[in-house]
Amino acid sequence: MEKRLVKKEEIEKQLQEIVALIEQVDAKMEKVIADVIEERYAQNQAQLGRLEGQIAGVEQRLEKEKQSAALPLSSKLYFV
């Protein structure tokens, strides 16, 4: 009977250690996942900034092309 109690206590102790290790791994995984999410968010923000800059550049070029295309047409009408 005493041997059985020792085994039971030993098993309970080992189970508590396993649970504690699982909790530690879980906490570390949460931290790793949070860090990856933050890093990915920062990368996406940087990429979004670059894309917005490119879009602004394209919009400026289109606007300049509109203006330059409109000027010759109106100036030709005055000379006709």
Side-chain angles (χ1 to χ4, degrees):
M1 183 76 165
E2 188 177 312
K3 194 174 188 181
R4 199 172 203 188
L5 281 175
V6 172
K7 280 188 176 182
K8 183 181 175 187
E9 289 174 0
E10 193 175 311
I11 290 171
E12 286 177 353
K13 181 182 174 189
Q14 289 175 349
L15 285 174
Q16 288 173 353
E17 290 172 357
I18 290 170
V19 169
L21 288 172
I22 290 172
E23 289 173 349
Q24 289 175 6
V25 168
D26 186 51
K28 287 181 182 180
M29 287 302 296
E30 283 182 25
K31 173 82 170 98
V32 167
I33 290 169
D35 289 348
V36 168
I37 290 170
E38 286 180 30
E39 182 180 332
R40 190 72 178 142
Y41 177 79
Q43 290 173 352
N44 286 344
Q45 289 298 104
Q47 185 177 16
L48 182 61
R50 289 190 299 272
L51 290 173
E52 287 174 342
Q54 290 175 350
I55 290 170
V58 168
E59 287 174 341
Q60 287 175 352
R61 284 194 304 254
L62 286 174
E63 192 60 37
K64 286 180 183 177
E65 287 177 14
K66 269 190 202 175
Q67 290 174 355
S68 66
L71 288 176
L73 182 61
S74 62
S75 62
K76 285 181 185 176
L77 290 177
Y78 287 116
F79 290 115
V80 172

